[in-house]
Amino acid sequence: TSEACKQLFGTTGGAVERTPCLLARLHNLLCGSLLPAWTGVRAASQQLSRFDEAARAWKRCCDLCEEVCPSSAYHSFCSAGCVTAAYRAFQESHTEKAAATGV
């Protein structure tokens, strides 16, 4: 909002100086805007029981959260979801291999 704009661009309205702080803030805003897209991918993959794809999407969400909001509840939520989806993918592949070998 206006406070974020003031922090990013200052109150002068002139040319923006490219400071490391500004670039880090812009990077976080960009990465944060991608979270909803990856959240949709992981939800759809999980709903379709494509747990391998879901685990990769959860991992991407987790990586973005690590950059944008480390140590937050959402970061923890994504970490737990990534582990759960990866475990389900492992179970699924193990079951398929057992069925193929007749074990």
Side-chain angles (χ1 to χ4, degrees), residues 3-15:
E3 185 59 34
C5 288
K6 286 179 188 175
Q7 288 177 2
L8 284 171
F9 305 114
T11 56
T12 61

Side-chain angles (χ1 to χ4, degrees), residues 57-99:
W58 273 107
K59 170 83 170 85
R60 189 66 184 132
C61 286
C62 190
D63 290 344
L64 288 171
C65 283
E66 208 169 295
E67 289 185 42
V68 178
C69 52
S71 304
S72 69
Y74 195 67
H75 183 219
S76 299
F77 174 74
C78 285
S79 298
C82 183
V83 169
T84 302
Y87 181 69
R88 297 279 307 267
F90 169 77
Q91 284 181 317
E92 188 175 77
S93 69
H94 184 68
T95 303
E96 287 174 5
K97 285 179 186 175

